[in-house]
Amino acid sequence: MSERSYLVTGASGYIGGRLVPELLDAGHRVRCMARSARRLRDHPWASRVEVVEADATDPDATRRALEGVAVAYYLIHAIGGGSGFAETDRRAARTFAAAARDAGVRRLVYLGGMNPDQELSPHLRSRAEVGEIMLDSGVPVTWLRAAVIIGSGSASFEMLRHLTERLPVMVTPRWGHTRIQPIAIRDVLHYLVASAALPGEVSRGFDIGGPDVLTYEEMMRRYAAVAGLRRRLIVPVPVLSPWLSSLWVGAITPVPGGLARPLVESLRNEVVCAENDIAAYVPPPPEGATGFDRSVALALRRVRETDVATRWSSASTPGAPSDPLPTDPDWAGGSLYTDERTRRAHAPPERLWEVVEGIGGERGWYSFPLAWRARGVIDRLVGGVGLRRGRRDPRRLRAGEAVDFWRVEEIEPGRLLRLRAEMRLPGLAWLELRVDGDDGDDARARLTQRALFHPRGLAGHAYWWAFRPFHEVVFGGMSRGIARAAEQDTVTAGHRASAARREG
């Protein structure tokens, strides 16, 4: 364990929120600086760090936050912060750099954008200016310069994700031909952690990037291929200003317009590594530099593997830096449509669970039988399994077995059943049924039913909204039917018990 702390600013942001657990795993004591400690309390690592409240533009508060700190990570940016963002960035950087010098910080580590030898967009220019302020601080600095970062939750990646998934045919202005050297989030974190140990005489900037140099159009095509989407038709247009482009991106994707504009403006700059000097001080990641296709596959991992619903339905700690965090913004992580319903039953939890575990097969799905049969027929017509598989046992289920056109993905006896759809769909779907006691009343139980759908491409979004009007009939009827069946079974069991007592 380090004797002095490692301070992370911007810990509530995309990079900082993933850097903190990496530093903790490396054995460092971590302190997080935030304007409000409440913004960090929902992070899975919150109980393992020290949190200090300070605004980077407040000299006294910042100096107190930096006391006893060996290495300070400066990950503060005012992107999307309005017309005065550049001055805000300057003031915060100068205040922080001076406070770090006064506190005796051994090294500053700053992550910014690349600054190629050309006219920069306002936000790239501001990033470069912050880097220069850090270098002039009198404290040894590692200034890492990266282009597009690939990982679930990265604003640049989410823009790429949503544009590619939602538009099978798209027009791209000249920035679609801009050459970019993207880098995986796991590789960025590798360099950030290792940079803290650079020799004291090293104080400079380093370009970092992945092994592939691609145009934005090529990135969209390769994303589509990795995500299993049809080949995208991209039509270049000679003019489309950054302002109009940002409006277009804002209309097509959930990325906020205030964030989309600086991202689009920055795409006019070619961002390719001019040097690889970092290799003289930091070895490459253990598995080697991560290529673009693998970076995308890692970012999409949670929507392609069978544990996706586990990750999204719980607030568990992500297993890798590329995974979504519970604290990522609402527009991050791709689309996940949810239909959730709660129903109380006048039946004990064990009786309700018996109905849940017996679902499908001859007992059916407790709502609109004709619709379920029709869906099964349609699935068979398009090459799917339909409803013909039924189920192995009418009363008991186990993980991995089939139930009509579903597969048991997870089962916790008496509590949870999660089914993954194996019907032909333009996306991935799950049905989750959870049974709980009703506030200590042994004679009542609560059913929580969730249908989840992750669309693939525009067809997936259209599929969800086309069937959305029928959800009340299908899913609402299912929750009502399951609760009603449990209540009827409870009454029947009560009658049988009464009859047995009379006969006895």
Side-chain angles (χ1 to χ4, degrees):
M1 181 74 70
S2 301
E3 187 175 350
R4 300 179 74 188
S5 297
Y6 279 35
L7 180 88
V8 178
T9 63
S12 61
Y14 175 69
I15 299 293
R18 286 157 172 80
L19 174 62
V20 168
E22 297 291 319
L23 293 173
L24 290 169
D25 290 345
H28 301 299
R29 185 168 61 231
V30 178
R31 179 185 299 170
C32 296
M33 183 180 113
R35 282 181 293 182
S36 171
R38 289 180 298 178
R39 298 184 63 186
L40 302 180
R41 66 184 179 188
D42 292 330
H43 282 271
W45 40 257
S47 62
R48 302 170 60 196
V49 303
E50 176 190 2
V51 179
V52 294
E53 290 190 344
D55 189 316
T57 60
D58 182 334
D60 293 334
T62 303
R63 194 176 299 111
R64 287 192 297 270
L66 286 163
E67 289 178 359
V69 168
V71 177
Y73 287 88
Y74 191 76
L75 304 173
I76 298 174
H77 295 308
I79 189 167
S83 58
F85 77 92
E87 175 54 33
T88 301
D89 272 350
R90 275 193 295 273
R91 190 176 48 184
R94 287 169 179 158
T95 301
F96 191 87
R101 182 188 61 243
D102 294 344
V105 171
R106 176 168 56 80
R107 176 165 295 276
L108 289 170
V109 182
Y110 169 61
L111 176 66
M114 288 188 186
N115 53 338
D117 187 18
Q118 53 188 278
E119 184 182 355
L120 299 178
S121 72
H123 280 268
L124 283 181
R125 188 164 59 247
S126 178
R127 300 296 177 264
E129 187 176 8
V130 169
E132 296 296 339
I133 291 171
M134 293 293 162
L135 289 176
D136 292 338
S137 65
V139 178
V141 173
T142 306
W143 171 12
L144 300 178
R145 299 183 292 245
V148 171
I149 296 176
I150 304 297
S152 183
S154 159
S156 296
F157 176 74
E158 295 302 332
M159 190 173 85
L160 173 70
R161 181 210 298 262
H162 289 291
L163 282 176
T164 308
E165 290 190 349
R166 297 188 175 187
L167 294 176
V169 179
M170 65 189 87
V171 295
T172 58
R174 285 180 296 180
W175 52 257
H177 301 288
T178 301
R179 294 170 72 240
I180 299 166
Q181 191 166 355
I183 183 170
I185 177 60
R186 57 171 50 196
D187 293 355
V188 172
L189 295 174
H190 168 78
Y191 288 117
L192 282 169
V193 174
S195 292
L198 263 59
E201 66 271 15
V202 177
S203 184
R204 53 162 293 185
F206 297 95
D207 289 348
I208 57 172
D212 300 311
V213 177
L214 307 164
T215 67
Y216 202 83
E217 286 187 14
E218 289 171 333
M219 288 169 59
M220 288 190 287
R221 293 188 196 278
R222 288 174 64 166
Y223 176 99
V226 174
L229 303 172
R230 293 180 182 273
R231 180 176 174 82
R232 270 28 197 167
L233 177 60
I234 300 175
V235 181
V237 294
V239 290
L240 193 59
S241 71
W243 180 74
L244 287 175
S245 293
S246 65
L247 293 180
W248 171 58
V249 170
I252 297 300
T253 81
V255 178
L259 184 55
R261 181 167 183 177
L263 292 176
V264 170
E265 287 176 337
S266 298
L267 287 175
R268 75 188 188 204
N269 293 117
E270 183 174 279
V271 279
V272 176
C273 292
E275 42 82 12
N276 187 36
D277 295 350
I278 190 71
Y281 302 96
V282 178
E287 298 179 7
T290 310
F292 177 80
D293 290 358
R294 177 163 165 73
S295 300
V296 172
L298 289 169
L300 297 180
R301 181 175 64 150
R302 293 297 183 176
V303 298
R304 293 176 66 87
E305 292 184 356
T306 57
D307 64 349
V308 61
T310 304
R311 170 61 189 87
W312 273 328
S313 63
S314 66
S316 60
T317 303
S322 306
D323 296 338
L325 276 175
T327 48
D328 284 342
D330 294 339
W331 45 264
S335 300
L336 183 69
Y337 293 121
T338 303
D339 183 288
E340 181 170 332
R341 298 168 190 271
T342 301
R343 180 75 52 182
R344 284 176 168 77
H346 292 276
E350 59 270 18
R351 191 72 64 187
L352 180 60
W353 175 254
E354 288 176 2
V355 177
V356 167
E357 193 174 8
I359 202 167
E362 293 184 0
R363 297 190 186 183
W365 297 87
Y366 297 96
S367 71
F368 205 173
L370 180 61
W372 285 95
R373 287 197 294 270
R375 186 65 184 86
V377 170
I378 293 171
D379 193 53
R380 291 187 63 180
L381 289 175
V382 297
V385 297
L387 295 173
R388 59 188 171 183
R389 296 189 303 191
R391 49 180 291 159
R392 174 190 58 85
D393 184 293
R395 298 179 61 235
R396 295 287 177 262
L397 290 175
R398 58 191 183 199
E401 67 182 17
V403 182
D404 294 334
F405 44 43
W406 303 89
R407 179 77 59 182
V408 179
E409 182 173 276
E410 180 64 51
I411 183 168
E412 298 176 18
R415 183 170 179 268
L416 173 70
L417 173 64
R418 182 180 299 122
L419 305 173
R420 184 181 73 256
E422 293 190 336
M423 66 194 83
R424 296 283 183 147
L425 290 169
L428 303 172
W430 297 263
L431 178 63
E432 183 180 273
L433 301 165
R434 185 182 298 272
V435 174
D436 296 292
D438 191 16
D439 298 328
D441 187 346
D442 293 339
R444 289 171 59 91
R446 183 173 68 253
L447 172 70
T448 303
Q449 173 187 296
R450 296 204 310 163
L452 303 103
F453 183 66
H454 174 75
R456 181 179 293 118
L458 187 60
H461 294 276
Y463 175 87
W464 174 266
W465 290 109
F467 286 94
R468 184 70 178 85
F470 303 100
H471 285 186
E472 175 57 35
V473 175
V474 176
F475 296 130
M478 181 187 297
S479 62
R480 290 191 297 270
I482 291 173
R484 189 180 303 118
E487 292 169 348
Q488 291 172 350
D489 288 352
T490 300
V491 172
T492 300
H495 289 164
R496 288 174 180 167
S498 298
R501 285 194 297 270
R502 286 195 300 270
E503 291 176 3

